[in-house]
Amino acid sequence: HVQLVESGGGSVQAGGSLRLSCTASGDTTGRYCLGWFRQIPDREREGIAAIDVHGSTSYAESATGRFTIFKDNAENTVSLQMDSLKPEDTAMYYCAAVNRRYTRYPPLIKDEYSDWGRGTQVTVS
């Protein structure tokens, strides 16, 4: 398992950009799949983007064309570049990891992930 700490959240006007980062520590030698999720009160946690050990990516429809997930293996970080932000992107954003290889694209299903950060708030007005 790994410990995950998110950073980079904040408040931004619609149309603006933010970059979220997540740093992993602990047992980072596994072949981890990493994902970004978001949640608003009284709603299910929603998968936004994921990247696997080979660099294959998955995106939710709401993120396609606006968000980009990328990782730095040397720094044990995964980032989410968010552009053209909309008020409906307002949520708590969570980083997640699972030490598992997937034969197809990395999943956006929260139950697939075992390790979670505490989240960082993004507010778009």
Side-chain angles (χ1 to χ4, degrees):
H1 291 277
V2 293
Q3 293 76 49
L4 303 169
V5 179
E6 303 96 337
S7 61
S11 297
V12 64
Q13 291 188 337
S17 299
L18 279 175
R19 179 176 293 186
L20 306 182
S21 292
C22 173
T23 301
S25 61
D27 183 12
T28 60
T29 59
R31 303 182 72 79
Y32 281 90
C33 182
L34 303 165
W36 282 97
F37 291 73
R38 67 186 182 189
Q39 188 171 20
I40 59 174
D42 300 324
R43 296 285 297 273
E44 286 286 320
R45 193 166 293 189
E46 172 191 21
I48 298 300
I51 187 167
D52 69 12
V53 66
H54 300 294
S56 296
T57 57
S58 299
Y59 291 94
E61 185 176 349
S62 59
T64 300
R66 299 189 300 128
F67 295 1
T68 304
I69 188 170
F70 56 97
K71 62 179 180 173
D72 185 330
N73 291 329
E75 297 294 329
N76 291 324
T77 60
V78 59
S79 299
L80 185 68
Q81 175 67 37
M82 303 188 295
D83 299 318
S84 302
L85 283 162
K86 306 174 182 179
E88 51 264 43
D89 294 318
T90 296
M92 184 72 79
Y93 283 71
Y94 296 90
C95 176
V98 60
N99 189 0
R100 184 179 301 164
R101 295 183 66 177
Y102 292 88
T103 56
R104 302 192 69 180
Y105 294 104
L108 296 176
I109 303 170
K110 62 180 176 63
D111 292 343
E112 290 288 322
Y113 291 82
S114 56
D115 304 324
W116 292 87
R118 293 189 175 185
T120 185
Q121 178 68 37
V122 171
T123 302
V124 185
S125 59

